[in-house]
Amino acid sequence: MDSKQASIVNAEPYEVYAIRYGHNMNKARDNFLFDPQHLPFTPHHESHSDIHDQMALDYYIWAIIGNGHTVIVDLGFEHQGAKRRGRKIIQLPSSALSMLDIDASSVEDVIVTHLHYDHAGDLASFPNARLHVQESELAYATGPYMAHRSLRLAFDVDYVVAFVRAVYDDRVHFVHGDDEIYPGISVHHIGGLTLGHQAVRVWTNAGWLVLASDAVHLYANIEMQNPFPIVHNVGDVITGYTKLNKLASSPKLVIPGHDPLVVHRFPCPDEKFLGDIVKLSDGPH
């Protein structure tokens, strides 16, 4: 990070944590839109898996702490949502925040990257939070695209209705494109996966860190330029990879939304929570 970029940040570096709350096993082939064997890109060896192998997906929310603010990124899903999808929930996302001594009911800001079920479900646990979401995302989740079963597959109607109620309760801050939430924390429209998917950029000790959420499910998706198969616009996903890398100080600081490697590449702040939480803001090992 050069001094010119650093000087424009009117904030001290934030601490950023990834909190793992769920787990699922996929066939490796199900995590890529295109057959990896037919692409000219070779991923990092840690990310590579034969297309017939099992390949895990982890589920995360993220916490940003500093400068008098606690901002949570995404809501995860709760027990009923896990049951409906046959997913394994390790701990309720809101309860998992206790590892950082955060009470979900006191959180004032939640950035919602998109409204897929695994990022928008535990809303009831954050009754006092203002919700920062792209206007185009709520329009997408409640509009004519949802008449198509394949496009609504990853949405949960109960969760979407809860967000509509939040609009009527004056809790939603609609974002249009790119916006600053607080000095050193900004959101950036990426699209691709959904119409209104956004990433979160944070100023940290390691430089600019980008919480890509599902703009990048796995490190291998961005390394091979091979998107996850649940997608609204393939071109926007792939051009989004370039935007994410430009937003971050290093490609190593682009954090994917579901890769189990995250908890191995970054340090755990407390050994008793090993495997459940890592600190992202000081950079990888």
Side-chain angles (χ1 to χ4, degrees):
M1 177 57 57
D2 62 40
S3 59
K4 181 178 178 181
Q5 288 177 296
S7 66
I8 65 172
V9 183
N10 188 26
E12 293 297 316
Y14 290 88
E15 294 182 355
V16 185
Y17 298 87
I19 300 165
R20 178 176 174 264
Y21 72 90
H23 181 76
N24 189 46
M25 291 299 298
N26 271 10
K27 290 182 179 179
R29 179 64 183 87
D30 293 340
N31 293 332
F32 302 97
L33 182 61
F34 307 111
D35 187 337
Q37 294 182 344
H38 296 159
L39 292 177
F41 302 100
T42 302
H44 189 281
H45 68 91
E46 286 182 287
S47 305
H48 179 67
S49 179
D50 185 87
I51 62 171
H52 302 294
D53 290 346
Q54 292 290 301
M55 192 174 189
L57 292 178
D58 280 347
Y59 295 89
Y60 299 94
I61 62 170
W62 300 270
I64 304 169
I65 303 170
N67 296 290
H69 307 295
T70 296
V71 178
I72 304 304
V73 177
D74 286 344
L75 296 164
F77 53 82
E78 38 69 71
H79 294 293
Q80 289 303 312
K83 184 177 180 180
R84 286 193 291 269
R85 299 274 174 167
R87 299 294 187 257
K88 181 180 179 180
I89 188 167
I90 299 168
Q91 52 190 331
L92 198 65
S94 52
S95 300
L97 291 174
S98 64
M99 291 185 288
L100 295 171
D101 295 322
I102 296 172
D103 179 0
S105 65
S106 67
V107 170
E108 296 182 352
D109 294 280
V110 173
I111 298 172
V112 183
T113 61
H114 62 299
L115 292 175
H116 278 176
Y117 78 95
D118 52 326
H119 296 260
D122 194 14
L123 181 56
S125 296
F126 296 84
N128 296 304
R130 188 159 182 79
L131 309 168
H132 305 271
V133 62
Q134 291 281 333
E135 178 184 6
S136 56
E137 181 66 4
L138 196 55
Y140 180 65
T142 58
Y145 283 114
M146 293 301 103
H148 303 285
R149 183 177 298 178
S150 59
L151 292 179
R152 68 173 183 255
L153 178 67
F155 291 91
D156 184 300
V157 64
D158 291 339
Y159 295 167
V160 173
V161 168
F163 269 81
V164 174
R165 292 186 181 280
V167 174
Y168 278 70
D169 290 337
D170 298 320
R171 294 182 56 198
V172 175
H173 166 225
F174 286 108
V175 180
H176 308 272
D178 299 349
D179 195 10
E180 183 179 73
I181 305 302
Y182 293 112
I185 303 175
S186 56
V187 294
H188 301 266
H189 179 255
I190 303 297
L193 178 87
T194 65
L195 189 62
H197 190 290
Q198 60 186 352
V200 185
R201 188 188 197 212
V202 189
W203 177 243
T204 72
N205 282 327
W208 286 111
L209 180 140
V210 175
L211 299 173
S213 187
D214 287 6
V216 182
H217 277 68
L218 301 163
Y219 287 110
N221 293 125
I222 193 170
E223 289 168 358
M224 292 191 293
Q225 298 184 31
N226 190 354
F228 194 80
I230 297 177
V231 60
H232 170 68
N233 186 301
V234 175
D236 287 348
V237 172
I238 293 175
T239 57
Y241 295 157
T242 300
K243 183 174 183 178
L244 293 165
N245 280 325
K246 287 183 177 179
L247 287 169
S249 293
S250 162
K252 294 181 179 180
L253 296 178
V254 176
I255 310 300
H258 289 278
D259 203 317
L261 290 175
V262 170
V263 297
H264 298 287
R265 292 187 176 183
F266 291 85
C268 178
D270 190 325
E271 288 189 1
K272 67 183 177 183
F273 300 132
L274 193 65
D276 292 330
I277 184 171
V278 289
K279 187 176 184 180
L280 306 172
S281 46
D282 291 335
H285 292 300

